[in-house]
Amino acid sequence: MEQVIIASIDPSALSRNAVDWAAHEARLRGLPLRVVPGPPHDVSDAKMIVCGLRPEDVADSRTACPSLPADVEAAGRPLVFVQEDLYGGCRSEGVALGVDARDPAAAAIDFAFESARIRGSRLHAVHAWSLPADAAELPFAIPEKDRAAWEDQEVQQLTDALRPWREKHPEVPVLEDVVLFAPAQALLHCSAGAALVVVGRRPDAEWGCVVRSLLREATCPVAVVPS
């Protein structure tokens, strides 16, 4: 079955940036582009679905995009949200990827590597971590050697998580980045210099605070890839 990239257009709003991004992506991937008014009814042949989005439309609820029907969300296709008022400022071709190194989302990693490959760009893989819960109970400052050991462990976990894709795509340069920040804060910082930021989403899971924060505040398109 022929794969296409679908740009979903809200008839009541200007979605030029979403169409432009989808057209560019279709050219990079050598796939046909289908532009539809409103939510698509048939996504069986879709490689991805591209939607225009205004940050104020992002809901603090189970769905991050209230205009997107549940059957489209459940179709198992990557959803790329292009914020109408922010995409024009994105000039880089780099790709940023949010990775939970302890429980990596394979589909999101695969999508991010492929996106970086077709752009001939670097992949910035970000794993956000936090200090162990019992560290807060220490009576004094955390010893530097303990913190370094914890961080080394996180670095190794990220390296292990990405190894299969680095071997599959040796032509893609990868920056492995382990940061002691909240995930949303880390990815928002990376989005400032990226053409695309990629995150995973578990099946039937709620749209978490990380995704909603990215859709509201990221300065580049956001790809949400279902597992």
Side-chain angles (χ1 to χ4, degrees), residues 134-217:
D134 56 1
E137 301 176 1
L138 295 176
F140 306 105
I142 299 172
E144 186 60 33
K145 65 176 182 179
D146 289 344
R147 173 170 169 163
W150 290 329
E151 186 167 10
D152 287 345
Q153 184 178 17
E154 301 292 331
V155 169
Q156 186 60 53
Q157 286 181 323
L158 178 59
T159 297
D160 293 342
L162 296 179
R163 183 175 292 110
W165 287 272
R166 297 197 71 163
E167 293 175 352
K168 179 181 178 181
H169 298 287
E171 73 279 16
V172 176
V174 180
L175 171 61
E176 297 184 5
D177 200 0
V178 172
V179 294
L180 191 59
F181 289 118
Q185 182 184 3
L187 288 173
L188 284 171
H189 177 74
C190 294
S191 75
L196 179 69
V197 59
V198 180
V199 291
R201 177 174 175 248
R202 300 301 178 191
D204 301 321
E206 294 188 4
W207 294 72
C209 61
V210 174
V211 173
R212 293 198 298 268
S213 295
L214 286 172
L215 295 183
R216 281 194 298 264
E217 303 176 48

Side-chain angles (χ1 to χ4, degrees), residues 3-210:
Q3 289 187 316
V4 301
I5 294 175
I6 297 177
S8 175
I9 305 303
D10 181 355
S12 65
L14 295 175
S15 300
R16 188 72 258 166
N17 285 332
V19 174
D20 288 347
W21 191 92
H24 179 63
E25 190 74 7
R27 287 193 297 270
L28 287 174
R29 293 178 180 269
L31 296 175
L33 171 67
R34 182 195 306 162
V35 179
V36 298
H41 298 292
D42 180 11
V43 297
S44 59
D45 61 348
K47 177 71 173 179
M48 70 184 70
I49 302 168
V50 181
C51 307
L53 182 70
R54 295 175 300 179
E56 60 267 25
D57 290 337
V58 179
D60 291 314
S61 64
R62 181 174 175 80
T63 177
C65 184
S67 63
L68 204 61
D71 59 339
V72 174
E73 283 190 23
R77 302 295 189 273
L79 300 175
V80 181
F81 296 93
V82 182
Q83 297 188 16
E84 292 304 314
D85 58 344
L86 295 178
Y87 172 64
C90 180
R91 300 181 178 87
S92 170
E93 280 293 310
V95 176
L97 167 67
V99 184
D100 180 353
R102 296 181 186 83
D103 187 18
I109 298 174
D110 192 69
F111 184 87
F113 266 87
E114 179 64 14
S115 296
R117 185 193 67 79
I118 64 174
R119 288 169 169 78
S121 67
R122 184 185 71 174
L123 176 64
H124 185 177
V126 181
H127 168 56
W129 70 291
S130 57
L131 296 172
D134 56 1
E137 301 176 1
L138 295 176
F140 306 105
I142 299 172
E144 186 60 33
K145 65 176 182 179
D146 289 344
R147 173 170 169 163
W150 290 329
E151 186 167 10
D152 287 345
Q153 184 178 17
E154 301 292 331
V155 169
Q156 186 60 53
Q157 286 181 323
L158 178 59
T159 297
D160 293 342
L162 296 179
R163 183 175 292 110
W165 287 272
R166 297 197 71 163
E167 293 175 352
K168 179 181 178 181
H169 298 287
E171 73 279 16
V172 176
V174 180
L175 171 61
E176 297 184 5
D177 200 0
V178 172
V179 294
L180 191 59
F181 289 118
Q185 182 184 3
L187 288 173
L188 284 171
H189 177 74
C190 294
S191 75
L196 179 69
V197 59
V198 180
V199 291
R201 177 174 175 248
R202 300 301 178 191
D204 301 321
E206 294 188 4
W207 294 72
C209 61
V210 174

